[in-house]
Amino acid sequence: MTQFDPRFPDATDAAPHAIVIGAGLGGLASAMRLGAKGYRVTVIDKLDRCGGRGSSITQNGHRFDLGPTIVTVPQVYEKLWAACGRNFHDDVTLKPLHPFYEVRWPDGTKFKAMQDTDEMEAEVAKIAPSDVKGYRRFLKDSERRYQVGFEGMVAKPMHKAWETIKVLPLFGMLRADRSILGLAKARVKNDKLRMALSFHPLFIGGDPRNVTSMYALVAYLEKTYGVHYAMGGVQAIADAMANVVKDQGGILRMQTQVDEILVQQGRCTGVRLVNGEVLEASVVVSNADAGHTYTHLLRDHKRKRWTDAKLDKKRWSMGLFVWYFGTKGTAEKWPDLGHHTIINGPRYEGLLKDIFIKGKLCEDMSLYVHRPSLTDPSVAPEGDDTFYVLSPVPHLGHDNGVDWEEMRETYRQRVAAVLEDHMPGFEQHLSASMSFTPEDFRDRYLSPNGSGFSLEPRILQSAWFRPHNVSEEVKGLFLAGAGTHPGAGVPGVVSSAEVLAQMVPDAAPVQVPAE
């Protein structure tokens, strides 16, 4: 095969050129799919290593996964690798977790999530024996929503209104108009269990009080496929994806930023980089946030649907405050704190309203604590620990926006005060520390409003109502990642590449001239 020279992307003796903007998991999956279809692929990313929000930073021997931390649907990776003629498990090692995670409340109540149904019913019974029957009904609700919402929609193109319209009767039957919290309230009476059954959409940027009950499917996913950790972190998955792209002949250009998508006569012709360099291409896939793609990368192109005004009216997911820290000599300390822990504050619904609707940064908080060093010794020096603590906070688009320059350290101290109850004396052992605020998400990931997960996954911002995988604004432009169908979360962004692969034509066979 002719070696690809990026200076001459449309050379007649080479396969068509495709550019992927962004080396996040959705962009890398798209590059793999395009490479398998015969394209010469160039992936461009502003960061110094691949993975996007799934990348990592190492400080004082501690490796911090910056974003997603778990693997919940291994088959999306298996299908992706298989499309490239490879075996995912040859490249990435997954370790199942037991329990999946533990949920804690201020009064000392604890709830462990596990794969075995009998064990889960025992956990429910410890909190509210009368809710076991309702929990069983919730599991049935979850399975049916999985069949319709995941199997039926996730990997299918939804850019035609009819694809959404034809599932509306099923959505009506399943009460998709009811929120996930509303469904939990209909099934169990205990407030703690209602939280434990409804909080999952927070990990894709959704307010459980408003996102559709279709997201109850997560319970079925966990029960059926388990929860896994990728040894080496999600960065290991991103690195493995990048290696497949390179093996296909693709090129990754890191620390390089796209400034504009070029359009001629309504068709995408390539990109212009921040340094002024122009790269031509037959196909462009943007793994940048859909909002950034339309408002910045296509800023000089007239848009019919995704105008600045329309995007400004959309509801964006909440922001995140994430504190990454390491502790020295603590591998044997805090033995009851597992790999994944959810620490609830005194409020649930009130806190959600403050974060998503009022845009208010509160004194109280709920936290997700990730302690990967229990499972993966490579994340910390021997005998030490690596932690990642996440607090949902308002995004930057609210009228009463938070000044994170001023609040970063103050809020970190508030987080530390909550953690002290679960990790006594931990600050005496700190050996590494850094934090991300919504302003970092805005600047590092070019995320509109510094949101953690792009558009909030409400029912009227999902499927056809979400930015499409094939752009209706420009021919030859496709979208992947959290801001397009099927949405945020690692299974969603990886599946977005499967969707666009169904719409991007196969590359024409290369004509090799006779010697």
Side-chain angles (χ1 to χ4, degrees):
M1 177 180 288
T2 304
Q3 177 64 38
F4 167 49
D5 186 336
R7 295 172 301 171
F8 306 104
D10 290 318
T12 56
D13 61 343
H17 183 215
I19 290 174
V20 177
I21 304 169
L25 300 180
L28 293 170
S30 299
M32 291 170 66
R33 293 276 184 179
L34 292 170
K37 292 171 77 69
Y39 286 87
R40 296 173 295 116
V41 182
T42 301
V43 183
I44 303 169
D45 196 284
K46 69 188 288 285
L47 302 181
D48 60 349
R49 67 181 312 170
C50 64
R53 300 181 196 212
S55 60
S56 66
I57 290 178
T58 298
Q59 185 184 100
N60 297 341
H62 297 270
R63 189 186 69 244
F64 300 107
D65 268 342
L66 298 178
T69 59
I70 62 174
V71 177
T72 52
V73 195
Q75 71 265 32
V76 301
Y77 302 99
E78 293 164 353
K79 289 172 66 178
L80 174 61
W81 257 253
C84 301
R86 299 172 67 132
N87 186 328
F88 169 67
H89 298 285
D90 290 340
D91 295 338
V92 178
T93 299
L94 298 183
K95 186 168 183 177
L97 298 181
H98 182 83
F100 299 157
Y101 49 85
E102 182 179 76
V103 184
R104 298 181 175 185
W105 287 270
D107 66 358
T109 303
K110 298 179 181 180
F111 175 89
K112 290 183 179 180
M114 293 167 281
Q115 191 164 11
D116 183 80
T117 301
D118 291 338
E119 288 182 309
M120 284 291 284
E121 289 185 3
E123 288 293 306
V124 171
K126 282 195 309 184
I127 296 176
S130 62
D131 276 333
V132 171
K133 184 177 180 181
Y135 171 69
R136 291 171 183 157
R137 288 189 65 191
F138 186 86
L139 284 183
K140 291 181 180 179
D141 295 330
S142 175
E143 181 176 5
R144 185 65 178 129
R145 282 160 176 76
Y146 168 82
Q147 293 167 345
V148 174
F150 194 90
E151 288 188 344
M153 295 180 66
V154 163
K156 293 184 178 180
M158 299 297 293
H159 62 289
K160 295 180 180 178
W162 171 244
E163 296 300 325
T164 297
I165 292 170
K166 69 183 183 182
V167 300
L168 290 180
L170 277 175
F171 271 43
M173 183 180 68
L174 294 173
R175 288 298 309 276
D177 61 309
R178 174 189 282 165
S179 72
I180 177 65
L181 179 56
L183 176 63
K185 286 182 175 181
R187 296 294 178 253
V188 297
K189 295 180 180 179
N190 183 274
D191 285 337
K192 293 183 176 70
L193 292 177
R194 288 171 170 178
M195 177 274 161
L197 297 179
S198 67
F199 76 89
H200 302 87
L202 285 166
F203 287 97
I204 56 170
D207 178 353
R209 299 172 316 119
N210 288 301
V211 301
T212 171
S213 64
M214 296 301 291
Y215 284 102
L217 62 84
V218 173
Y220 183 80
L221 285 177
E222 291 181 346
K223 178 179 171 0
T224 305
Y225 302 108
V227 171
H228 298 77
Y229 173 83
M231 299 302 287
V234 172
Q235 181 71 71
I237 298 178
D239 289 342
M241 297 170 86
N243 288 335
V244 174
V245 173
K246 293 173 185 176
D247 289 347
Q248 292 172 328
I251 292 175
L252 273 74
R253 295 186 58 172
M254 306 306 295
Q255 296 181 289
T256 304
Q257 187 171 342
V258 173
D259 181 57
E260 187 177 3
I261 294 171
L262 300 177
V263 181
Q264 291 183 8
Q265 297 180 336
R267 173 167 288 277
C268 180
T269 61
V271 301
R272 178 182 291 108
L273 307 182
V274 168
N275 65 7
E277 182 182 358
V278 171
L279 294 177
E280 297 178 353
S282 303
V283 169
V284 173
V285 175
S286 181
N287 182 224
D289 190 285
H292 178 77
T293 298
Y294 284 121
T295 62
H296 182 81
L297 299 182
L298 284 174
R299 61 188 179 274
D300 293 330
H301 179 74
K302 185 176 181 181
R303 287 162 275 137
K304 296 180 180 179
R305 182 175 183 185
W306 298 108
T307 62
D308 290 7
K310 182 164 186 176
L311 285 163
D312 190 54
K313 293 178 182 178
K314 292 294 182 181
R315 288 194 172 274
W316 295 85
S317 66
M318 77 289 194
L320 302 173
F321 179 90
V322 194
W323 182 21
Y324 310 92
F325 64 88
T327 54
K328 191 168 184 61
T330 61
E332 303 298 325
K333 290 182 73 66
W334 317 301
D336 65 331
L337 190 72
H339 189 122
H340 298 293
T341 307
I342 310 294
I343 300 174
N344 276 291
R347 301 182 300 150
Y348 181 45
E349 292 188 61
L351 183 60
L352 292 173
K353 185 175 182 179
D354 283 343
I355 292 170
F356 283 90
I357 306 301
K358 295 182 179 180
K360 178 183 177 183
L361 187 65
C362 303
E363 292 286 340
D364 62 320
M365 63 185 69
S366 292
L367 301 175
Y368 159 59
V369 182
H370 181 222
R371 190 184 188 184
S373 38
L374 291 179
T375 305
D376 183 358
S378 73
V379 303
E382 186 175 356
D384 297 351
D385 263 329
T386 291
F387 292 91
Y388 154 142
V389 181
L390 179 152
S391 173
V393 296
H395 64 61
L396 301 174
H398 296 280
D399 292 337
N400 53 336
V402 179
D403 182 352
W404 283 105
E405 186 85 17
E406 177 183 339
M407 285 299 300
R408 183 190 298 265
E409 177 57 18
T410 299
Y411 200 77
R412 187 202 66 78
Q413 291 175 10
R414 292 182 191 173
V415 171
V418 174
L419 290 177
E420 180 67 24
D421 291 337
H422 303 267
M423 303 166 55
F426 81 97
E427 286 193 279
Q428 301 171 21
H429 301 274
L430 288 180
S431 53
S433 177
M434 65 178 186
S435 62
F436 277 17
T437 76
E439 291 181 352
D440 296 298
F441 277 76
R442 177 196 63 199
D443 299 339
R444 179 179 173 87
Y445 305 123
L446 306 177
S447 177
N449 297 315
S451 63
F453 305 91
S454 192
L455 292 168
E456 186 183 353
R458 293 192 175 201
I459 195 166
L460 293 181
Q461 293 190 162
S462 301
W464 181 84
F465 300 101
R466 208 166 181 83
H468 299 159
N469 303 95
V470 55
S471 174
E472 56 269 77
E473 305 288 359
V474 178
K475 293 180 180 178
L477 174 63
F478 300 83
L479 276 66
T484 187
H485 175 70
V490 177
V493 300
V494 173
S495 295
S496 70
E498 182 178 356
V499 174
L500 72 86
Q502 298 171 51
M503 297 181 288
V504 177
D506 291 345
V510 177
Q511 299 297 320
V512 181
E515 294 287 337

